[in-house]
Amino acid sequence: MPEPLISVLLPVRDAGDYLRPAVTSILTQSVDDFELILVDDGSRDAAVAQLECSDPRLRIFHNPGQGLVNALNFAAFQARGRFVARMDADDIALPQRLERQLQLLESEPGIGIAGARVEIFSEQGVGEGYRVYEQWINSLTTPEAIEREMYVESPIPHPTAMLSRNLFRALGGYRHVDWPEDYDLWLRAHLNGVRMAKPDEVLLRWRDHPQRVTRADSRYALAAFTRAKAHFLARQPLRDRAAVIWGAGPTGSLLCDALVEEGVRVDAFIDIDPRKVGGRKRGRPVLPAEAAPDVTPALVVAAVGARGARADIRGLLEGYHLSEGWDYLFAA
């Protein structure tokens, strides 16, 4: 076959009944200039064998169960397309997904990575927490919005990503790290000035179920995300700059420890709880909110996980005429 425009990377391990609709959703896209590279990463079920698909765009490889990162890099090594796109074996791509992402990347040369808005769904029902998360991640469509909240959480749902194969290789592909491999890739891209965006419409149905790797793998726990944030904060916004952490609770304490481990100087905490203000946390003073304008040139890193906290903190700091991204940023 001639070289396709897009290579879709689909690692599989024991996907069961979810695999067939996932594969079908890619093979019925509104564009057809692609290949679907399915890497069976040591499955113990028969889902791959039962596909019975003769579509020449589907290329199936077998990997001896060496893990997701290895399977992804193996798939990328096999890719022949100008662009690489991700897909998971338990999700459903809407028909225009690849077309709309391709349009975004080709019409906006300043954009290096295209994600997509998602609809989270589950046979067991989707709780309020996931709906709030869905609303947050779908609100991040412009490069500016994604950059602003890069350290809050991973802004690009992994199975929605598309980028050029050259950029993927320039970034070094996926790495074996002690935190999520996709967030690691987006943070490396951000560190290198790569801009990211999403088309306006929902393009992927993102399935939640008890066996999802994000529920079972310790690399997706809060502590792992915090280590990832600290690692990259230390290499960009906190390089040669001290930090003051807004939030003297568990999330702020966890971030403090991770930053110190990365060699960052943490001068103080800020909190609005009068029971904490005036005390000490991790051996550092806890300052009131009104002290925020006086801590410069330190960077205020807000790390409060409570729902609605970002909006409240942003309002306070804007009231002090501080600039987001320079004087302060959010890491929770």
Side-chain angles (χ1 to χ4, degrees):
M1 292 180 62
E3 291 186 355
L5 181 60
I6 304 167
S7 296
V8 182
L9 314 182
L10 176 61
V12 178
R13 179 180 288 183
D14 298 334
D17 293 338
Y18 299 145
L19 181 59
R20 186 182 298 276
V23 168
T24 300
S25 75
I26 293 296
L27 295 179
T28 54
Q29 288 287 295
S30 57
V31 294
D32 58 11
D33 191 6
F34 65 84
E35 61 181 355
L36 175 56
I37 302 174
L38 188 156
V39 176
D40 182 2
D41 184 38
S43 291
R44 293 158 296 182
D45 66 12
V48 175
Q50 292 173 353
L51 279 176
E52 298 176 353
C53 178
S54 60
D55 193 314
R57 296 172 300 175
L58 175 61
R59 303 172 63 203
I60 298 177
F61 299 88
H62 296 276
N63 206 42
Q66 296 184 24
L68 178 59
V69 170
N70 183 277
L72 285 169
N73 284 330
F74 179 81
F77 179 78
Q78 302 296 330
R80 300 175 298 153
R82 178 182 158 204
F83 295 95
V84 292
R86 275 284 287 112
M87 182 63 184
D88 277 346
D90 48 5
D91 298 324
I92 298 173
L94 298 186
Q96 290 190 308
R97 178 206 156 177
L98 297 180
E99 179 182 0
R100 293 289 291 116
Q101 291 183 298
L102 187 62
Q103 288 172 350
L104 175 62
L105 291 173
E106 292 191 321
S107 64
E108 301 286 346
I111 303 300
I113 298 174
R117 286 178 163 173
V118 297
E119 174 202 347
I120 301 175
F121 75 106
S122 170
E123 286 81 359
Q124 293 77 35
V126 178
E128 182 184 0
Y130 267 120
R131 288 300 178 207
V132 171
Y133 172 73
E134 177 188 273
Q135 183 179 19
W136 171 77
I137 205 166
N138 284 345
S139 73
L140 307 179
T141 59
T142 67
E144 294 77 17
I146 290 171
E147 290 168 9
R148 185 185 68 236
E149 309 223 347
M150 176 60 67
Y151 294 102
V152 172
E153 222 255 35
S154 181
I156 303 290
H158 196 188
T160 73
M162 181 189 287
L163 66 161
S164 75
R165 185 167 51 139
N166 286 341
L167 176 57
F168 177 81
R169 289 178 173 175
L171 291 171
Y174 292 99
R175 302 191 305 174
H176 290 277
V177 287
D178 191 28
W179 47 74
E181 73 289 334
D182 55 329
Y183 195 25
D184 180 72
L185 184 57
W186 315 149
L187 287 166
R188 277 185 282 138
H190 178 64
L191 192 67
N192 284 278
V194 177
R195 308 193 83 199
M196 310 174 207
K198 301 169 187 171
D200 288 335
E201 63 267 47
V202 170
L203 295 173
L204 183 108
R205 299 191 72 218
W206 202 8
R207 189 191 303 270
D208 179 45
H209 58 88
Q211 289 75 42
R212 277 180 66 186
V213 66
T214 54
R215 288 183 176 270
D217 194 324
S218 62
R219 294 182 306 117
Y220 294 85
L222 174 61
F225 272 96
T226 302
R227 289 192 295 271
K229 297 172 190 182
H231 180 81
F232 286 94
L233 283 167
R235 282 152 182 78
Q236 193 177 56
L238 287 173
R239 183 179 179 182
D240 302 321
R241 194 174 181 186
V244 170
I245 298 176
W246 187 303
T251 304
S253 299
L254 192 64
L255 180 61
C256 176
D257 295 343
L259 287 173
V260 170
E261 187 71 21
E262 290 288 342
V264 174
R265 194 183 87 213
V266 178
D267 285 348
F269 287 84
I270 291 176
D271 209 284
I272 61 171
D273 187 342
R275 296 169 298 178
K276 297 177 181 177
V277 173
R280 299 186 73 81
K281 189 74 173 184
R282 294 294 195 265
R284 295 161 177 84
V286 181
L287 309 175
E290 55 266 26
D294 302 322
V295 301
T296 55
L299 176 68
V300 176
V301 182
V304 181
R307 191 172 298 174
R310 278 197 304 277
D312 293 340
I313 296 170
R314 183 176 283 121
L316 284 169
L317 293 176
E318 286 179 352
Y320 295 139
H321 306 290
L322 298 182
S323 175
E324 187 168 1
W326 177 252
D327 297 312
Y328 69 94
L329 56 77
F330 290 91

